[in-house]
């Protein structure tokens, strides 16, 4: 193993341990939904008020969904016998993984989770321990349980528990594989009932994949399976269980290599290198390769393509196209099942998910693929990106509808339009709003200059940017300081190898930088001597000059010094876009109820109506980079003419001008803040309003209102802040708040990279 790989793994391990320990241990906490601010609240929440819902549920058990969180609560349960690639490490050691699964449920589908680590390896005792827990949960997700125990456990729990039970290691992988095979065969012009399938691996996931392919039309007689002991045939006496036994074949062959001639599909859920190039060479034309061993697949995609240029290749890795990732489906399957109060997750629901995923891959992708190519249906895009925001909108309704049609839905959906709307609103309040930006930046190689290159947060962000291929950092700082801090923080990045350094004390471009700077600001009272001093000491100026000279595609600054001073430096060097009179700042707050964009939070103290029109239109264009349609509210102390005054008059004028210059923009105002977020209240004033639902773009009349609102909302709601996003500059340039985290810096770099891509397109 090379030294570089060893160092990278060490750095990743240290970063992961730090991530799990700070600022609080673990990845989960419980938050109350109801206020407990006084004696009456306590009386309602507990004794004596709590008796009322208890009596209702005792009389009508289905009422539990009305009065408790059960219907949105899933248990993630494991005994730790097959944890990732770590094997049987025990229930206690599996807890970080189970917490991680809980986070995915919450982030991707808004489902609450209790993770339960059960210290019991005997299948029957495990079943007996879990079965009585069904009153607590709306569904059960089994995780990381070894085969064949997992088959027995899932089957018994499904029979005994009147709620959905789903072993994701089996069915999650199988559903994605099913979608990939459907689309792969479509591209190769083959039929499911005619193809020959060779599988390497006979564990839980492999058997579930084969079962779902059979359900989709594959024939048992066309399927060959091998495990670590060789080909699964009737000659062997160690595969007699009913789950694996159904795939035994009568043959004298003992290895997969002996039967792979003419195979159309290779399904790998085994070990690295299991598919040799000489085996692939013998497969049928246009073979579909699903090499899903992690972290190293059965055959690397480069080698597969070198051996067979006509192959379609899927892996479990995020750095290659066609990633088979369980997160594509399990949160959304449970979302659909819970929403109709399904009593089980049956074959019809799983197949509905398969077809929904396969169909989505036919639609133009929202982001580029990991290879940097457009996500267009074809050999490099047979399954959607795992972070495609439309997965929720396609899979959950398909699963819910299948549950209703198959008779397992206790509470069928009656208003589908309202249901789709609720899913759509969740997608944009889930904290995944940055994903389109990050995915679109990946692989583009945009160079982002960081004025505060010696700061720990910037160094940690640089490591993430390089690992995730979001941008190429250029760090401004003293090389010796940067190297020392990289070593102190346990990072693996190397100056001059992984990223460029601009040394303010000794850079060969210093004279050129001074000359350009003086040419730009010399008529603003800056003498040549002053210019030399500024370029030597002001890292924001250096970053801006690098952008101006084309040595960087964007810049990030602001961790030290006054915001408005950074604005002046950026404005004087990089300049303004054509038609823009001044820069402005757009801030995003991700709150539990959604993502909201606020303008202008940092720059313009009292913008004119025309300036606010310009700011609103620039903000609208930035929301498009997030794949979000702007719904703008013009805020004031007045509601649609209810009060007069300079601020109210200005916002009315802004509304009229926006109506004239941007008739397609969804905008309403002037209005108070509660009307912007409360559609029922708003419609009392203007029933015919074009603004439906909550506004997501809040336009403030002045800096006082914008900045105070932004900072109060952030602190009172523990909101995730992204920005401020500086708008109006000729090239991407952003000035951070001093309190920003390293993740916040990564987000801003992704935004700058996206702006650079958009500018060049």
């Amino acid at each position: 193993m090379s030294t570089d790989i060893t160092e990278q793994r060490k750095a990743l391990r240290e970063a992961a341990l730090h991530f799990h320990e700070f600022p609080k241990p673990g990845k989960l906490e419980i938050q109350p939904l109801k206020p407990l601010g006084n004696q009456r609240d306590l009386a309602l929440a507990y004794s004596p008020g709590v008796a009322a819902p208890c009596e209702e549920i005792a009389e009508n058990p289905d009422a539990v969904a009305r009065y408790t969180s059960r219907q949105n609560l899933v248990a993630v349960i494991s005994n730790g016998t097959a944890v990732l690639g770590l094997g049987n490490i025990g229930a206690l050691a599996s807890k970080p993984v189970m917490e991680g699964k809980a986070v995915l449920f919450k982030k991707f589908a808004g489902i609450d989770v209790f993770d339960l680590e059960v210290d019991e390896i005997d299948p029957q005792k495990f079943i007996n321990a879990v079965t009585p827990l069904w009153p607590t949960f709306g569904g059960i997700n089994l995780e990381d349980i070894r085969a064949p125990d997992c088959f027995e456990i899932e089957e018994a729990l499904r029979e005994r528990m009147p709620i959905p039970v789903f072993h994701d290691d089996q069915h999650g992988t199988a559903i994605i594989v099913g979608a990939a095979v459907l689309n792969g065969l479509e591209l190769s012009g083959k039929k499911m009932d005619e193809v020959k399938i060779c599988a390497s691996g006979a564990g839980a996931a492999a058997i579930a994949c084969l079962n779902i392919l059979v359900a989709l039309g594959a024939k048992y007689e066309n399927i060959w399976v091998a495990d670590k002991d060789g080909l699964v045939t009737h000659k062997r006496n160690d595969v007699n269980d009913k789950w694996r036994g159904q795939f035994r074949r009568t043959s004298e062959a003992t290895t997969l290599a002996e039967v792979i001639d003419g195979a159309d599909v290779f399904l790998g859920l085994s070990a690295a290198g299991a598919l040799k190039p000489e085996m692939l060479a013998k497969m049928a034309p246009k073979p579909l390769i699903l090499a899903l061993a992690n972290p190293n697949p059965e055959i690397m995609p480069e080698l597969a393509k070198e051996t067979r240029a006509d192959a379609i290749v899927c892996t479990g890795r995020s750095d290659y196209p066609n990633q088979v990732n369980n997160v594509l489906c399990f949160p959304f399957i449970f979302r659909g099942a819970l929403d109709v109060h399904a009593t089980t997750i049956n074959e019809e629901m799983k197949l509905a998910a398969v077809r929904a995923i396969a169909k989505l891959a036919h639609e133009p992708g929202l982001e580029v693929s990991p290879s940097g190519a457009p996500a267009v249906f074809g050999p490099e895009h047979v399954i959607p990106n795992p972070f495609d925001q439309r997965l929720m909108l396609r899979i959950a309704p398909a699963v819910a509808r299948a549950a209703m049609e198959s008779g397992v839905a206790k509470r069928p959906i009656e208003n589908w339009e309202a249901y789709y709307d609720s899913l759509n609103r969740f997608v944009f309040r889930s904290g995944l709003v940055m994903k389109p930006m990050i995915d679109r930046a990946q692989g583009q190689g945009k160079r982002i200059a960081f004025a505060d290159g010696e700061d720990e947060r910037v160094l940690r962000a640089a490591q993430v940017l390089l690992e995730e291929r979001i941008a190429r950092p250029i760090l401004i700082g003293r090389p010796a300081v940067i190297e020392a801090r990289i070593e102190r923080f346990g990072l693996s990045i190397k100056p001059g190898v992984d990223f460029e350094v601009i040394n303010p004390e000794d850079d060969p471009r210093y004279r050129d930088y001074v000359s350009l700077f003086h040419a730009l600001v010399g008529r603003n009272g800056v003498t040549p001597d002053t210019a030399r001093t500024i370029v030597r000491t002001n890292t924001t100026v250096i970053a801006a000059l690098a952008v101006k000279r084309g040595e960087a595609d964007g810049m990030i600054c602001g961790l030290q010094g006054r915001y408005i001073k950074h604005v002046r430096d950026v404005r004087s060097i990089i300049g303004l876009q054509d038609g823009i009179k001044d820069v402005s700042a757009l801030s995003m707050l991700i709150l539990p109820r959604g993502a909201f964009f606020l303008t202008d939070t940092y720059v313009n103290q009292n913008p004119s109506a025309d300036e606010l029109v310009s700011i609103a239109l620039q903000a609208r264009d930035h929301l498009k980079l997030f794949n979000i349609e702007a719904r703008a509210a013009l805020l004031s102390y007045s509601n649609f003419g209810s009060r007069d005054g300079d601020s109210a008059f200005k916002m009315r004028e802004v509304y009229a001008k926006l109506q004239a210059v941007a008739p397609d923009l969804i905008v309403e105002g002037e209005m108070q803040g509660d009307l912007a977020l409360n559609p029922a209240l708003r419609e009392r004033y203007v029933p015919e309003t074009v603004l439906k639902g909550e506004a997501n773009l809040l336009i403030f009349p002045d800096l006082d209102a914008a900045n105070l609102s932004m900072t109060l909302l952030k602190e009172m709601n523990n909101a995730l802040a992204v920005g401020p996003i500086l708008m109006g500059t000729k090239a991407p340039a952003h000035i951070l708040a001093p309190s920003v985290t390293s993740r916040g810096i990564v987000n801003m770099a992704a935004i700058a990279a996206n702006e650079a891509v958009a500018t060049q397109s």
Side-chain angles (χ1 to χ4, degrees), residues 591-644:
L591 290 87
R593 67 187 294 166
F596 297 90
F597 296 80
L598 293 71
T599 70
D600 170 5
T601 50
Y602 277 88
V603 181
N604 294 280
Q605 290 189 4
N606 188 20
S608 68
D610 287 335
E611 288 170 332
L612 285 174
V613 168
S614 176
I615 290 169
L617 296 178
Q618 291 177 73
R620 173 200 61 186
D621 294 341
H622 273 76
L623 264 66
K624 289 179 182 178
L625 293 177
F626 291 91
N627 296 333
I628 295 174
E629 181 181 30
R631 300 189 303 276
L634 306 175
L635 299 182
S636 171
Y637 55 79
S638 169
N639 281 323
F640 306 102
S642 65
R643 296 185 63 181
D644 290 337

Side-chain angles (χ1 to χ4, degrees), residues 595-728:
F596 297 90
F597 296 80
L598 293 71
T599 70
D600 170 5
T601 50
Y602 277 88
V603 181
N604 294 280
Q605 290 189 4
N606 188 20
S608 68
D610 287 335
E611 288 170 332
L612 285 174
V613 168
S614 176
I615 290 169
L617 296 178
Q618 291 177 73
R620 173 200 61 186
D621 294 341
H622 273 76
L623 264 66
K624 289 179 182 178
L625 293 177
F626 291 91
N627 296 333
I628 295 174
E629 181 181 30
R631 300 189 303 276
L634 306 175
L635 299 182
S636 171
Y637 55 79
S638 169
N639 281 323
F640 306 102
S642 65
R643 296 185 63 181
D644 290 337
D646 291 344
S647 173
F649 292 149
K650 179 167 66 173
M651 301 312 280
R652 287 175 213 168
E653 184 180 355
V654 172
Y655 176 74
K657 291 187 173 185
L658 284 173
Q659 290 285 89
V661 301
D664 293 335
L665 175 65
I666 300 172
V667 61
E668 192 57 271
E670 85 280 8
M671 70 180 85
Q672 295 175 1
D674 53 354
L675 268 67
L677 303 181
N678 188 328
L681 188 59
R682 181 170 62 247
E683 289 173 8
R684 296 180 191 174
Y685 284 81
V686 186
E688 70 280 5
T689 177
V690 298
L691 177 57
K692 304 299 182 184
E694 293 181 330
N696 56 19
L697 174 58
L698 306 178
I699 311 294
F700 291 87
D702 55 40
L703 181 60
D704 278 348
N707 188 271
L708 286 169
S709 297
M710 187 268 296
T711 51
L712 282 171
L713 285 170
K714 177 178 176 292
E715 289 304 313
M716 292 175 68
N717 294 279
N718 194 27
L720 172 63
V722 178
I725 301 167
L726 194 65
M727 304 189 298

Side-chain angles (χ1 to χ4, degrees), residues 541-562:
V541 167
I542 296 172
L545 289 168
V547 173
K548 186 73 173 180
R549 285 166 50 89
E551 296 163 355
D553 300 302
M555 63 168 285
I556 306 289
C557 64
L559 295 183
Q560 303 291 332
R562 294 168 56 224

Side-chain angles (χ1 to χ4, degrees), residues 389-468:
Q389 295 163 310
R390 299 168 297 183
L391 286 164
M392 165 81 97
L393 308 178
R394 302 292 192 275
I395 299 174
V399 169
R401 196 179 295 276
M404 291 164 56
E405 292 174 353
S406 60
V408 298
K410 296 175 65 178
R411 188 177 178 182
I413 293 170
E414 297 178 357
N415 186 336
W416 282 97
E417 183 178 350
Y419 182 59
Y420 281 113
D421 181 63
S422 69
L423 296 178
N424 192 64
R425 282 187 282 111
F426 170 78
V427 166
F428 294 105
R429 71 166 184 260
S430 65
L432 296 175
V433 69
M434 279 303 303
K435 283 306 298 179
M437 286 285 191
I438 291 172
D439 290 345
R440 201 181 292 116
Q442 285 179 325
Q444 297 295 314
K446 293 305 175 186
R447 302 159 300 169
I448 306 300
F450 290 88
D452 302 286
E454 298 176 1
D455 190 281
E456 176 185 358
R457 292 165 293 176
V458 171
L459 294 172
R460 292 191 181 277
Q463 173 109 17
V464 175
L465 293 171
L466 288 163
E467 288 178 351
E468 298 186 9

